[in-house]
Amino acid sequence: MRNREFDQSLHIDIESLQKYSNTRLGRELYGLPRSTVIALKHGMTSGLVEIKDISAALDMGVRTLQRRLALYDRTFSEMRDLARFSLAVELLLNTKDRMESISTSLGFTDRTSFTNNFRRQSGLPPTQFRKKYCSIR
């Protein structure tokens, strides 16, 4: 059983990490960028992460999606990175899935690409992140 101090520090760290993932580009996500990230997270579970798939899910053309994201000073690549990172954090904290499985489900070609991307965004490789923050053993 965890102690209260650990629970409190875990909550603060996870809260900070979630805030970081939502504001990594300096702004809260709202409107179309938020909808795009949500659609990407849903698409990642079924392998649909291309802009044509997401624009169709949002009921608009590819170019329209690009133009509308630009109105928020965002790009589709940035939204895909945020969705991948957010989903990676969820999978690392809430499942016992192997790194290979997580990297594949997020659309990475191999575990090394996933590890490098995750480390770049969080400062920790995914295995260390899981050991540090995960309550599922």
Side-chain angles (χ1 to χ4, degrees), residues 27-28 30-33 36 60 63-76 78-79:
R27 301 170 302 282
E28 289 289 336
Y30 62 94
L32 183 63
T36 304
M60 63 181 76
R63 188 64 190 119
T64 301
L65 176 58
Q66 290 171 327
R67 277 194 308 271
R68 290 186 182 171
L69 285 173
L71 293 173
Y72 292 89
D73 293 325
R74 304 291 186 143
T75 67
F76 183 76
E78 291 169 336
M79 299 301 94

Side-chain angles (χ1 to χ4, degrees), residues 36-74:
T36 304
V37 168
I38 291 168
L40 277 160
K41 285 174 72 174
H42 283 96
M44 284 177 191
T45 60
S46 57
L48 302 173
V49 294
E50 298 300 320
I51 192 168
K52 65 182 174 64
D53 302 317
I54 301 307
S55 64
L58 295 172
D59 199 29
M60 63 181 76
V62 170
R63 188 64 190 119
T64 301
L65 176 58
Q66 290 171 327
R67 277 194 308 271
R68 290 186 182 171
L69 285 173
L71 293 173
Y72 292 89
D73 293 325
R74 304 291 186 143

